[in-house]
């Protein structure tokens, strides 16, 4: 009983601390109404400088994830007001990453965000590149993490496999395959007992939506326009990336002549696994 009470007290303290932190970060989740659609949004942080984070292809969306995202990216909370924009509510067949960049631009316009720092991860990096090209007035600095600028053989093969699994209704296999390709062997070894729970919690909430957004990855062809990006850029990749391939990061940096860091022992989930990932991003943005 004493042990149970101790666990209860500890858990209660952690929940209170979590609540205090989210209050400190001025966390807000809201739905932004645009002329052509609606977008779920998360905002946190006490700073005045805007930082827009564009997440990669995911199975569940960002609704309800505000507290975990605020904690994950808490290093930015003092100096920035951080914004996450989900994909639009009404996706349509044939939507492209350039269309999704236009949605981010519309959301930023609605919130009167200008000259913002941008972090794009995976598919979010594809979107971020188009955003910097089509709306340079919105972008101050750009960080592109584990992403690509064109639909290379690696990303096409992987995404088509995920599309096939989804169409077959093999959701457990889909989530398991995504984890196996994204995370390092060391990470998977440590957390493999929790994979069955992950396959339940992360299966696509809206299968049709996931398919449309996955197919958007196959049409990214921004490479030939990269020279139109005028802002400072920092590229981060993983040498073991099995989703977009490590060469994808290197070719972006080479084309732009910009700063690059490659994690030799990590793959596509370097943004989650690398303990210094957020610090590297923060340092670049503060330079």
């Amino acid at each position: 009983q004493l042990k149970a009470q101790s666990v209860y007290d500890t858990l209660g303290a952690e929940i209170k601390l979590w609540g205090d932190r989210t209050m400190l970060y001025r966390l807000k989740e809201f739905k932004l109404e645009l002329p052509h659609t609606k977008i779920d949004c998360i905002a946190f942080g006490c700073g005045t400088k805007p930082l827009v984070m564009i997440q990669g292809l995911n199975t569940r969306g960002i609704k309800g994830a505000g507290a975990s995202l605020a904690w994950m990216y808490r290093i930015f909370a003092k100096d920035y007001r951080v914004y996450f924009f989900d994909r639009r509510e009404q996706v349509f067949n044939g939507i492209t990453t350039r269309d999704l960049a236009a949605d981010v631009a519309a959301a930023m316009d609605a919130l009167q965000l200008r000259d913002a720092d941008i972090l794009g991860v995976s598919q979010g990096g594809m979107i971020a590149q188009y955003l910097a090209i089509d709306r340079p007035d919105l972008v101050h600095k750009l960080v592109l993490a584990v992403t690509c600028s064109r639909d290379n053989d690696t990303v096409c093969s992987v995404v088509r496999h995920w599309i096939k699994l989804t169409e077959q209704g093999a959701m457990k296999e889909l989530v398991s395959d995504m984890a196996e390709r994204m995370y390092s062997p060391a990470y998977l070894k440590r957390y493999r007992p929790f994979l069955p729970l992950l396959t339940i919690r992360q299966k696509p909430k809206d299968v049709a939506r996931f398919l449309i957004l996955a197919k958007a990855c196959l049409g990214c062809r921004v490479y030939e326009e990269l020279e139109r990006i005028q802002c400072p850029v920092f590229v981060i990749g993983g040498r073991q990336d099995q989703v977009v391939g490590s060469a994808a990061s290197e070719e972006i940096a080479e084309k732009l002549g910009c700063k690059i860091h490659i994690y030799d022992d990590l793959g596509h989930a370097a943004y989650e696994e690398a303990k210094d990932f957020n610090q590297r991003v923060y340092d670049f943005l503060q330079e």
Side-chain angles (χ1 to χ4, degrees), residues 242-258:
Q242 300 181 54
V243 178
V244 300
S246 62
S249 294
E250 293 169 338
E251 73 173 5
I252 293 173
E254 183 178 358
K255 185 76 177 284
L256 292 174
C258 68

Side-chain angles (χ1 to χ4, degrees), residues 82-268:
V82 183
Y83 296 87
F84 280 83
F85 302 123
D86 209 340
R87 309 300 189 251
R88 59 159 60 204
E89 277 193 356
Q90 297 84 17
V91 296
F92 54 86
N93 286 317
I95 198 170
T96 67
T97 45
R98 191 164 222 151
D99 294 328
L100 297 172
D103 289 340
V104 173
M108 293 178 69
D109 285 339
L111 295 173
Q112 299 183 339
L113 304 180
R114 291 288 185 278
D115 202 29
D117 290 332
I118 309 292
L119 167 60
V121 176
S122 193
Q123 187 187 57
M126 304 176 196
I127 295 167
Q129 291 170 79
Y130 280 119
L131 180 67
I133 290 169
D134 294 339
R135 290 295 305 274
D137 59 306
L138 300 180
V139 184
H140 175 246
K141 284 188 175 183
L142 178 63
V143 181
L144 302 172
V146 292
T147 192
C148 58
S149 57
R150 50 187 168 188
D151 45 2
N152 60 55
D153 290 343
T154 301
V155 71
C156 285
S157 175
V158 170
V159 173
R160 284 173 181 153
H161 181 60
W162 290 347
I163 290 171
K164 182 179 179 181
L165 289 174
T166 305
E167 291 174 337
Q168 292 174 344
M171 299 309 172
K172 289 184 179 180
E173 291 81 356
L174 168 68
V175 177
S176 178
D177 190 78
M178 293 177 81
E180 294 284 348
R181 293 179 188 271
M182 288 179 61
Y183 294 100
S184 67
Y187 185 94
L188 288 170
K189 182 179 180 180
R190 190 180 310 122
Y191 293 103
R192 192 171 296 280
F194 300 99
L195 279 182
L197 177 62
L198 182 68
T199 59
I200 296 173
R201 291 178 59 87
Q202 294 300 319
K203 66 180 181 180
K205 187 176 181 179
D206 185 332
V207 172
R209 176 183 176 84
F210 176 77
L211 284 170
I212 289 171
L213 292 174
K215 290 174 183 177
C217 293
L218 303 177
C220 179
R221 299 183 180 92
V222 70
Y223 180 79
E224 298 302 329
E225 299 183 63
L226 284 179
E227 65 275 1
R228 294 176 56 194
I229 296 178
Q230 300 301 311
C231 65
V233 182
F234 180 26
V235 175
I236 305 177
R239 187 75 63 194
Q240 310 305 319
D241 196 322
Q242 300 181 54
V243 178
V244 300
S246 62
S249 294
E250 293 169 338
E251 73 173 5
I252 293 173
E254 183 178 358
K255 185 76 177 284
L256 292 174
C258 68
K259 180 178 181 180
I260 183 172
H261 179 78
I262 299 292
Y263 289 100
D264 288 330
D265 299 327
L266 298 178
H268 198 66

Side-chain angles (χ1 to χ4, degrees), residues 23-82:
M23 287 292 289
L24 176 65
Y25 300 154
R26 294 171 52 212
L27 174 64
K28 180 181 179 182
E29 296 197 33
F30 59 100
K31 190 178 293 290
L32 186 62
E33 295 197 15
L34 302 175
H36 57 289
T37 189
K38 298 177 183 178
I39 294 178
D40 285 322
C41 306
I42 293 170
F44 65 88
C46 304
T48 56
K49 176 74 175 176
L51 170 59
V52 175
M53 296 188 174
I54 312 175
Q55 80 280 11
L57 174 69
N58 62 74
T59 57
R60 304 292 291 180
I62 65 172
K63 188 174 183 179
S68 59
L69 289 172
W71 175 247
M72 181 175 179
Y73 295 104
R74 61 193 179 277
I75 189 175
F76 302 101
K78 180 180 177 181
D79 300 302
Y80 287 94
R81 186 65 176 166
V82 183

